[in-house]
Amino acid sequence: MAKASKHVFVTEGEPLRSNWLAAFPGAQLAPLAASKHFRTAEVIWLRLPYEGDIAPLILKLKKFGGGQTSVVALSDEPRDEEGLVALRAGASGYCNGYASPIVLQQVAQTVQQGGVWLGQSLLQKLVAITAQQAPRDIPVSRDWTANLTEREIMVAQAVALGASNKEIADQLGITERTVKAHLTAAFEKLQVRDRLQLTLLVNGISGL
């Protein structure tokens, strides 16, 4: 009997891709109806597109996983609109199905730690959408800066604008490792899990 995998891929009539196996050598392929394969999975990777609405598929996979399993939607041609649908349905991530093994491993690490994985363009769109929905008569709170150092504030503000760690490092004249250290400290002090939550907080926007 094969050992249950922590990473299960769901596709329509397609074998496991080489980049998936390179990222997760023990990964398994399972049909959507094979609920037993999802119960012990830590990450379920749903390759899009499936015909029809993808939201019910994501909800079904989350249910199969017992609510503790992260679902990541994979798209061969990522589109912000599709990513929004996936995230609103409960997916913890949305990325390119042909992403490199290193990127896939980073995605897995992020979602397993309770974070959300999404590209810069989609992040900016989410912030714009939530900003439009926020009451206009409520001023942006600056309380989030109270316990942060000057550098941590600068890094948080850059993240809120959608900048990558490399871009922030270049802007501030520091190393990416230092950026990560400031970001980790800011996460802990502000009690946020990921870049999306930090961006919403900095912009004074309540979560989705």
Side-chain angles (χ1 to χ4, degrees):
M1 182 176 178
K3 182 180 178 181
S5 174
K6 294 181 179 180
H7 297 274
V8 177
F9 287 80
V10 182
T11 73
E12 279 188 313
E14 180 183 9
L16 288 169
R17 293 180 179 174
S18 58
N19 59 318
W20 301 347
L21 283 171
F24 314 111
Q28 293 180 350
L29 189 66
L32 187 62
S35 60
K36 66 179 182 180
H37 289 277
F38 307 126
R39 292 171 189 158
T40 57
E42 293 183 5
V43 182
I44 299 173
W45 305 80
L46 174 64
R47 187 219 168 227
L48 306 175
Y50 268 77
E51 292 185 4
D53 188 1
I54 64 173
L57 296 177
I58 293 172
L59 291 171
K60 181 180 291 188
L61 289 173
K62 287 185 68 66
K63 181 179 179 181
F64 285 161
Q68 303 300 315
T69 303
S70 297
V71 176
V72 175
L74 298 171
S75 177
D76 293 349
E77 298 180 3
R79 294 178 290 108
D80 289 347
E81 294 74 16
E82 184 179 64
L84 284 171
V85 172
L87 292 170
R88 283 173 169 163
S92 297
Y94 178 75
C95 71
N96 196 311
Y98 289 104
S100 69
I102 292 177
V103 170
L104 292 176
Q105 290 169 352
Q106 291 174 342
V107 173
Q109 183 179 24
T110 297
V111 301
Q112 286 176 290
Q113 292 175 348
V116 176
W117 182 278
L118 63 169
Q120 180 176 325
S121 174
L122 183 52
L123 174 61
Q124 292 173 334
K125 182 163 289 189
L126 277 171
V127 171
I129 289 173
T130 49
Q132 291 172 2
Q133 296 173 346
R136 297 297 180 182
D137 57 344
I138 298 179
V140 175
S141 172
R142 303 300 296 176
D143 291 343
W144 65 270
T145 65
N147 296 320
L148 302 188
T149 66
E150 182 179 354
R151 281 292 193 182
E152 290 165 358
I153 292 172
M154 295 172 71
V155 169
Q157 290 173 329
V159 166
L161 293 174
S164 67
N165 285 357
K166 185 179 186 306
E167 290 170 334
I168 297 171
D170 291 341
Q171 290 171 13
L172 301 181
I174 56 180
T175 66
E176 288 187 61
R177 184 174 182 178
T178 302
V179 171
K180 291 179 181 178
H182 288 318
L183 199 52
T184 298
F187 283 171
E188 292 177 353
K189 291 178 181 179
L190 297 173
Q191 297 185 333
V192 297
R193 297 178 307 185
D194 50 58
R195 299 172 86 94
L196 176 57
Q197 287 192 346
L198 178 62
T199 297
L200 297 178
L201 177 63
V202 170
N203 286 280
I205 303 167
S206 57
L208 290 173

